[in-house]
Amino acid sequence: MARAFLGMGLLGTNFVKAMLDRGEKVQVWNRSPEKAAALEALGAAVSADVAAAVKSADYIHVTLKDDDSVNDVLAAAAPGFKAGAMIIDHTTTSATGAIQRTAEWKSRGFTYLHAPVFMGPANAREGSGFMLVSGNQEVIEKVQPLLDQMTGKVINFGAEEGKAAAMKLVGNCFLVAFTAGLSDTLALGKALNVSVQDVGDLFSLWNPAQMMPARLQRMSAGDYSKPSWELNMARKDTQLFINSVQEKNGTLAVIPAIAEEMDRWIAKGFGSSDWTVIAKDAVKK
């Protein structure tokens, strides 16, 4: 069984190193040749031509930037595809793009499986983290043993094409919002002379992540009439955050936008509702 890997960024490079550690034969390519060349000493077969890099490969893994780069690289590699080869794409892309590629490559006689990951370079090297799949279950069952070697857990979201891509984007959206919110939290702490260590100590004793299931259930239930924290009160506290940071000439990334959203819902008459009402439109069926 031969495998090819296209895209030698941090993730792709560490996937390949782990494959080589397992004694697998891997053919690699990267748009910047020096990144691929660095793996030659470890046993990878390096090619400067992407079509040559995939010749004889039964499985072609892809870790690139976006939909356009995946489409461009696969189009360039296609002349070298072995009959019946399977493309396994770990790139974070749009759900629409994943669906289109699945259909397009099937029409051309090849199998395309989108398998994005919640993994960093260290996860790829040690085979931990999470890999997401969805779509044709026979295809997933066939390739599952290979994917199991690459990650800590493969999460199968069922037969819906593009579902794995969608879930990956949802997860990344949360990570972006979480990080931006944490940045604002640290900015507030700085304004109030609370150190980063103090913030860490607080969260080690009081873990707000434990509230997430109940918070999500309340938001999705659509009943905001029995508040645990009234929107008016949450908005008052939000202004205290803003004022405290502004007094120290600091900046906030997302809190001012949240304040505007709160004001919008208060103006609509929801000031006495639970503050999670600001998600009402997002969860509306």
Side-chain angles (χ1 to χ4, degrees), residues 86-89 93-96 98-99 102-103 111-117 131-141 143-144 147 154-168:
M86 178 182 291
I87 304 161
I88 305 175
D89 183 7
T93 70
S94 67
T96 300
I99 294 168
T102 302
T111 302
Y112 171 93
L113 177 67
H114 192 223
V117 300
M131 187 174 290
L132 319 181
V133 293
S134 68
N136 188 313
Q137 295 297 292
E138 292 182 3
V139 170
I140 293 171
E141 183 178 359
V143 78
Q144 178 95 32
L147 302 184
V154 177
I155 306 176
N156 187 342
F157 288 102
E160 182 182 343
E161 300 288 358
K163 187 66 174 289
M167 297 302 288
K168 167 63 174 175

Side-chain angles (χ1 to χ4, degrees), residues 185-201:
T185 299
L186 295 176
L188 175 61
K190 182 178 181 179
L192 297 173
N193 297 316
V194 175
S195 70
V196 175
Q197 182 177 344
D198 287 338
V199 173
D201 290 343

Side-chain angles (χ1 to χ4, degrees), residues 49-244:
D49 178 71
V50 67
V54 300
K55 282 186 177 179
S56 77
D58 301 287
Y59 298 94
I60 300 158
H61 296 265
V62 181
T63 52
L64 296 166
K65 180 182 178 182
D66 52 21
D67 287 287
D68 288 342
S69 61
V70 172
N71 291 337
D72 290 346
V73 169
L74 290 181
F81 285 171
K82 176 181 177 180
M86 178 182 291
I87 304 161
I88 305 175
D89 183 7
H90 306 291
T91 310
T92 299
T93 70
S94 67
T96 300
I99 294 168
Q100 290 174 342
R101 280 185 291 277
T102 302
E104 176 188 349
W105 288 105
K106 182 178 181 180
S107 72
R108 297 175 64 173
F110 302 97
T111 302
Y112 171 93
L113 177 67
H114 192 223
V117 300
F118 289 121
M119 298 171 67
N123 299 119
R125 190 72 173 84
E126 66 191 18
S128 60
F130 298 88
M131 187 174 290
L132 319 181
V133 293
S134 68
N136 188 313
Q137 295 297 292
E138 292 182 3
V139 170
I140 293 171
E141 183 178 359
K142 176 183 177 181
V143 78
Q144 178 95 32
L146 295 179
L147 302 184
D148 284 340
Q149 291 180 331
M150 297 175 66
T151 188
K153 183 176 180 59
V154 177
I155 306 176
N156 187 342
F157 288 102
E160 182 182 343
E161 300 288 358
K163 187 66 174 289
M167 297 302 288
K168 167 63 174 175
L169 292 176
V170 167
N172 277 10
C173 180
F174 178 82
L175 291 177
V176 169
F178 171 81
T179 301
L182 187 56
S183 175
D184 279 6
T185 299
L186 295 176
L188 175 61
K190 182 178 181 179
L192 297 173
N193 297 316
V194 175
S195 70
V196 175
Q197 182 177 344
D198 287 338
V199 173
D201 290 343
L202 171 64
F203 289 147
S204 69
L205 298 170
W206 170 68
N207 182 3
Q210 294 177 343
M211 304 178 186
M212 188 180 298
R215 184 65 50 80
L216 186 60
Q217 183 177 10
R218 177 186 280 270
M219 292 166 72
S220 61
D223 182 3
Y224 310 98
S225 62
K226 299 175 182 178
S228 60
W229 193 16
E230 286 190 0
L231 178 56
N232 282 328
M233 297 300 291
R235 178 63 181 90
K236 179 266 296 181
D237 287 2
T238 301
Q239 193 59 48
L240 289 174
F241 311 155
I242 294 171
N243 292 346
S244 297

